[in-house]
Every structure is written in C-alpha cells, then in structure tokens.
Amino acid sequence: MNNRVRSHARPEAAANAATHSLHLADPGPLATKEGFLARARRTVTPPSLQDSAPLGTKVRLTDPRLAYHGALLPLETDDFARGVHLARTLLVKNLYDSPGRSPNFAVDRPRLAGKSLLAARIGFAFQGLVDHHFPADADRHPVVYVHVPHDRGDALHWSLPFAEYFGLEHYRSPETMNHRSVDMTGPITRVMERAGTRLVIVDGIEYIKDNERQTAFDYLFRLQDALPRITFLFCGIGAQEILHHALGDHRSKAPAAGVDKPAPLGIPTLWVRPVPYTAAEPDQWCNVLDDAEKNLRLYKHQPGTLVQLAAYLHARTDGSMHALNQLLCQAAQTSILQQTEAIDRKLLETILSDCCLSGLEGGVFAVQA
C-alpha cells in the first residue's frame, strides 16, 4: 500500500495501535464497540508476491491477495483528508472541559454517496487520535457509532442502539424469558460518561419520518444536555435539511461544487461529491487512479494502465470512489482467479458494478461551515 493511502487508513494511532493482518474473519458489526475498535485499529498490510501462490499455479479462495483486493481499500482524495481534518478540529475541543454544549455537524449527499464511509473514517481518526495521545484504557470509548433504530416512537427505542453498542442487557427479565426491553437512557448516560465518549455518530437519519422528528431530536439533544462534551455527527440523505427542520429553521440545499459559505444556523456540513475529470481539471482523478494502481498486487499488471483508461473509468463510475473501488477490486480478484494477473479495459468490461449512475459515490468533500 502506498504511503498516502496507508496514512489515511491508519491515522495518528498507527504507531501505537496493534497491527492486524487482513484476513477473512469478520471484525463484527460497526455499531458495536468490539466491531468499531477492530476496524479502527486494523492495519491493512499488502501481501508480498513471495507469500502468494506462484504465478501459473491454482489460486485458492483463501489466498491472501484475494482477501486483500476484496477489502475495498480506501481511495481518498486530498479533500477527503481535509474533511477528516476539519472534523477533528471540531472534536479536539471536546477533550477538554468547557461550558456549554459541544457543536454538532453533519455529512450529507444523496444515497450511496460515501457518507457512511466518511463518517466512519472520522470516527476511526478520532479514535486513533485518542489512542495515540492518552495511556491505554480498555474502558475508554471516545467514539460511539449507532444506526437510527427501526422503532423510533419513544425514548425507550432510541436508547436501545446505544445499549447494544456497549453490550448492555436491556431486557426486563431475560431469566424468565421476558424479552420486553426497558428504557436504557440512564445506564447508557452513565456508561458514556465513564467511557469518556466525545463523538456519537448517528447514521441513517433520513429514515426519521416527519412525524418522528421531534421525538428523535428531543431525545438526542436531551442526551447531549446530560453529556455536554459529546458532539453528534448526523449522517444521512438530506442531513442538513433534516437538522434545520429539527431546529425549526428553513430548508437548505447543498451549495455548488467548490463553494464554501456559511450555512444557516451555523451547522457545519461535509458535502460528499464525485471527483471531477475534465480537460481543465484532470489531475485529481488521475492521482486517484495512480494511487489505486500502486495498491494492486498483481504479477503482470503494467503501471500506468489505469491512468491511460482515465476517461473510460470516469464514464463507468461518474467519479465515484465507492464505484471505482468496487470495479477495481472485482477486476483484480478476477485477474488472479483467471491467472491473467493484469487489469485492462477488456477485463473491466466484463465486470458488473453499480456504475454509470449519475451522482453516486463521492470523493470530494467541500465544507460548508
């Protein structure tokens, strides 16, 4: 893996956190403390060709190169790193006591735009920052990652994702098989206070219906009143607009690409946009492809092939980081299994992926603050 991608994949904690080689084991759900920490502290190590099946021999599905290329290695632009950096600027303040409620912010863009990827990377980066600067503590959990619950009608149901993140028993009497849940707001508040939680990522807020909005945000903001040093990162389609409605303000739409201007109510929002590729602006897309090519571990791939296919790949993916990753990872695995050991246009045209869908996965993050 090239240094640029590795530095994004493992932020400041890289020197101190344990290294985990990539394998087929599932680290667990992201919305649990074990799954989140496993992903935040995992280092993806490129396999050596010397440790892989020799060229011309049959490849097993357990081959380390298949697992490596199936991991959807992060393809990140400089603006992606900027988004993580700006989010970290908001969060560092939370490490120190100060009066008043901490600021909240949002990640916004249409479906499949890479919002959850950015939200998770922000969480991983903040976890890494704390790991690096503070002594090891198994009970410290600076980041909590939850999904919007399926049932959202009351405080009880909103408390359950937090309880499940920490592995807290929330059934009334599991010994007697009474699996009726109870409101866990009190226990989760105490746990997060002891755990030093400073960032709560709430993903999927587009699922909050209009008639559920007041209940949802009343609960979350009351939780923040009890834990004022927590920052909420709200992630979802139309996140900024949803927050404006929740706070009783008017609608807001995403600005034009490359425009930074104050948002109403001062809600910082990270907007996820595709990477452009035009005659006037070809470099960013080509740099992404060059980084992607450096990540490949193939016996016969010719360096520079992906950059030569820049126009074709942009047409296939609309500048989407997720779509590009899906396409290249599948192509790399196919080339290994077919023993061609190279990616070219002929191979790419045989790969099915969620491409050519305008406005999907983004890699450019313009910040509106």
Side-chain angles (χ1 to χ4, degrees):
M1 180 182 295
N2 66 80
N3 291 334
R4 178 173 177 234
V5 174
R6 168 172 271 179
S7 67
H8 293 165
R10 286 293 294 120
E12 294 87 336
N16 289 354
T19 298
H20 300 273
S21 295
L22 183 67
H23 50 75
L24 298 177
D26 185 354
L30 186 61
T32 63
K33 63 180 182 181
E34 294 82 7
F36 180 87
L37 288 174
R39 287 173 169 83
R41 293 170 174 169
R42 178 174 61 182
T43 297
V44 178
T45 304
S48 169
L49 291 178
Q50 287 75 17
D51 297 330
S52 305
L55 181 63
T57 61
K58 185 176 181 179
V59 176
R60 296 181 178 274
L61 291 180
T62 54
D63 187 274
R65 290 192 299 145
L66 286 179
Y68 170 76
H69 288 106
L72 293 178
L73 303 177
L75 299 178
E76 300 166 358
T77 68
D78 293 339
D79 288 318
F80 187 103
R82 178 171 175 256
V84 174
H85 172 75
L86 290 169
R88 185 178 63 182
T89 301
L90 290 173
L91 293 168
V92 167
K93 180 179 180 293
N94 294 10
L95 295 173
Y96 309 99
D97 194 19
S98 61
R101 180 191 285 176
S102 295
N104 301 315
F105 63 110
V107 175
D108 199 343
R109 196 57 176 170
R111 186 176 300 279
L112 298 177
K115 301 177 298 298
S116 295
L117 173 63
L118 176 57
R121 305 304 288 175
I122 289 170
F124 296 159
F126 188 60
Q127 178 72 48
L129 185 71
V130 174
D131 282 348
H132 181 70
H133 287 282
F134 293 89
D137 184 350
D139 295 324
R140 183 175 58 231
H141 298 284
V143 182
V144 170
Y145 188 106
V146 298
H147 295 287
V148 167
H150 292 292
D151 296 316
R152 301 174 289 274
D154 54 30
L156 183 158
H157 289 99
W158 271 101
S159 72
L160 299 186
F162 295 90
E164 290 172 356
Y165 183 88
F166 285 104
L168 301 179
E169 180 61 67
H170 55 79
Y171 295 119
R172 186 177 299 277
S173 180
E175 295 82 6
T176 61
M177 301 300 291
N178 182 354
H179 285 183
R180 182 179 178 185
S181 295
V182 296
D183 188 345
M184 296 294 291
T185 301
I188 64 172
T189 301
R190 291 190 291 273
V191 168
M192 286 195 289
E193 184 173 21
R194 290 195 299 268
T197 301
R198 295 294 178 264
L199 171 64
V200 174
I201 299 172
V202 182
D203 202 353
I205 67 167
E206 68 269 21
Y207 296 111
I208 300 174
K209 298 177 181 178
D210 290 348
N211 62 348
E212 300 168 337
R213 186 178 293 123
Q214 182 171 352
T215 298
F217 287 97
D218 280 353
Y219 179 82
L220 295 171
F221 291 146
R222 283 201 304 270
L223 192 63
Q224 192 175 33
D225 287 338
L227 299 165
R229 290 168 68 186
I230 283 179
T231 281
F232 279 106
L233 191 170
F234 297 105
C235 180
I237 301 168
Q240 190 188 70
E241 184 175 347
I242 291 169
L243 287 168
H244 279 276
H245 281 288
L247 297 172
D249 203 53
H250 56 80
R251 293 174 179 263
S252 175
K253 296 182 179 180
V259 175
D260 293 346
K261 61 182 181 180
L265 286 186
I267 300 174
T269 302
L270 306 181
W271 296 96
V272 187
R273 297 189 177 91
V275 177
Y277 180 63
T278 64
E281 196 175 4
D283 291 344
Q284 187 172 188
W285 180 246
C286 290
N287 289 338
V288 167
L289 296 179
D290 183 60
D291 280 349
E293 198 158 54
K294 291 175 183 176
N295 287 337
L296 297 177
R297 290 298 181 269
L298 302 173
Y299 282 104
K300 297 182 179 180
H301 186 80
Q302 295 298 314
T305 301
L306 298 187
V307 173
Q308 293 173 7
L309 294 172
Y312 167 77
L313 289 169
H314 198 271
R316 281 287 304 264
T317 63
D318 284 330
S320 151
M321 292 296 94
H322 175 80
L324 178 65
N325 231 331
Q326 290 278 355
L327 182 63
L328 295 182
C329 285
Q330 290 183 64
Q333 288 180 317
T334 301
S335 73
I336 293 171
L337 291 171
Q338 294 179 350
Q339 299 186 354
T340 59
E341 293 288 342
I343 296 176
D344 56 21
R345 178 162 178 167
K346 182 179 179 181
L347 173 61
L348 289 168
E349 289 177 344
T350 69
I351 304 299
L352 296 177
S353 62
D354 52 350
C355 304
C356 295
L357 298 177
S358 179
L360 289 186
E361 303 298 324
V364 177
F365 298 86
V367 177
Q368 188 178 29

